[in-house]
Amino acid sequence: MVDLLQVLEHTKAVAKEAGAFIREERKNFDLNKVEQKGLNDLVSYVDKEAEKIIVSKLEVILPEADFITEEGTASRDGKAYTWIIDPLDGTTNFIHGLPVFAVSIGLRYEDEIVLGVVYEINQDECFYAVKGQGAYLNGNRIHVSKAKSLGESLIATGFPYSGFSKIDDYLKILRSLMEKCHGVRRVGSAAMDLCYVASGRAEGFFEYNLKPYDVAAGAIIVMEAGGKMTDFRQGKDYLFGGDVLASNNHIHEELDAEIQKVWRK
């Protein structure tokens, strides 16, 4: 196995380099250069160029790795290591100038995420973790919240931009949570939602219709911060299953119970 701590340092540098490119491009960004991949699924040349930067650098750091990325760079040759990358998580925020978007880079070894880096560009906040080494924000150790119940909690979520067949169930969950917790927040970046859970800024996060690159880096950061990651059925298919539930250990079952009252797969 490679030296993950050494790989981490290089990966953080790559994330920040891509972030610097994204930050600079935002200054004079032209809305006319936005493309639409699908219903409400937006992409720009900035996403694509940032991905090229990231992939070219990571290929040097770990030549023996495959790739899964949002904007199409993919190689699945059965290698033990796989980079899972979202070059710009929060593209819609970026396009509209809402300052919450991030570079997200996860590394999977066989069937397990072993490294994650999420760089929030606007606040210059770099969250990262390596399996068994704890989770950090800009060099400082982070931990999930110690809140003991949903009634003490702030919950983050995301709104679907497709898959609207489940929207009624989702809205029922929101209504129930609004009556039982401190509040519900929608930031617009799943990677950042996970990091906010990891750092105790929110107690829980749930969302459906997600992709592996939305989740991979943030997942290990949550777990190394002492939190819990599952799918909506408290199973382990949060990476490829499409739905994600992250929280501190105290409220996980209570939050899942609220979802399961109405949710049907």
Side-chain angles (χ1 to χ4, degrees):
M1 195 170 182
V2 301
D3 183 343
L4 289 175
L5 291 176
Q6 186 176 49
V7 172
L8 173 66
E9 292 307 308
H10 291 305
T11 306
K12 286 160 56 180
V14 171
K16 290 179 180 181
E17 180 178 342
F21 165 76
I22 293 167
R23 185 187 302 113
E24 192 62 28
E25 291 302 311
R26 186 64 197 82
K27 293 177 182 177
N28 299 298
F29 185 72
D30 183 354
L31 283 170
N32 293 319
K33 295 181 179 179
V34 175
E35 302 172 30
Q36 190 156 321
K37 295 186 289 184
L39 179 64
N40 299 323
D41 191 3
L42 306 177
V43 66
S44 73
Y45 74 92
V46 178
D47 303 69
K48 296 176 179 179
E49 291 302 315
E51 182 166 295
K52 290 178 183 177
I53 292 170
I54 295 166
V55 169
S56 66
K57 300 290 184 179
L58 295 181
E59 283 177 330
V60 175
I61 295 170
L62 203 58
E64 61 267 43
D66 287 336
F67 286 89
I68 299 173
T69 70
E70 180 170 16
E71 304 310 330
T73 301
S75 60
R76 300 298 300 273
D77 300 324
K79 297 175 183 175
Y81 289 97
T82 304
W83 291 107
I84 305 177
I85 302 163
D86 192 336
L88 178 49
D89 190 58
T91 296
T92 302
N93 285 355
F94 170 85
I95 288 169
H96 289 273
L98 187 65
V100 184
F101 41 85
V103 177
S104 177
I105 304 174
L107 180 63
R108 186 173 64 154
Y109 177 68
E110 296 181 342
D111 294 325
E112 185 176 30
I113 302 297
V114 294
L115 179 153
V117 174
V118 176
Y119 178 56
E120 204 292 311
I121 296 161
N122 300 278
Q123 298 297 321
D124 191 27
E125 290 191 325
C126 188
F127 298 82
Y128 53 91
V130 165
K131 181 175 171 55
Q133 301 295 321
Y136 293 83
L137 164 56
N138 290 349
N140 298 311
R141 188 78 179 261
I142 56 174
H143 301 277
V144 294
S145 161
K146 295 180 180 179
K148 295 277 196 288
S149 69
L150 201 51
E152 304 172 63
S153 300
L154 181 68
I155 303 301
T157 190
F159 298 159
Y161 55 81
S162 62
F164 294 115
S165 63
K166 295 180 180 291
I167 194 68
D168 289 339
D169 286 349
Y170 176 79
L171 292 173
K172 289 175 184 176
I173 295 168
L174 285 181
R175 174 168 182 163
S176 181
L177 288 175
M178 288 176 191
E179 295 173 349
K180 294 176 180 174
C181 70
H182 281 177
V184 180
R185 298 291 182 268
R186 200 273 187 169
V187 172
S189 163
M192 290 315 307
D193 286 320
L194 290 166
C195 289
Y196 292 158
V197 171
S199 56
R201 297 175 183 176
E203 277 65 42
F205 164 67
F206 73 98
E207 188 171 352
Y208 74 96
N209 207 25
L210 291 173
K211 300 294 190 294
Y213 40 76
D214 298 316
V215 178
I220 188 169
I221 296 171
V222 168
M223 291 185 288
E224 286 296 317
K228 188 172 182 179
M229 289 286 308
T230 69
D231 55 35
F232 279 6
R233 296 153 304 287
Q234 294 215 45
K236 296 182 179 180
D237 196 18
Y238 55 82
L239 190 59
F240 292 99
D243 45 69
V244 171
L245 176 58
S247 74
N248 71 23
N249 283 284
H250 297 300
I251 73 162
H252 201 87
E253 289 191 10
E254 189 179 1
L255 180 54
D256 182 68
E258 289 298 315
I259 294 170
Q260 294 310 317
K261 283 179 183 178
V262 297
W263 192 259
R264 297 293 180 268
K265 189 68 173 175

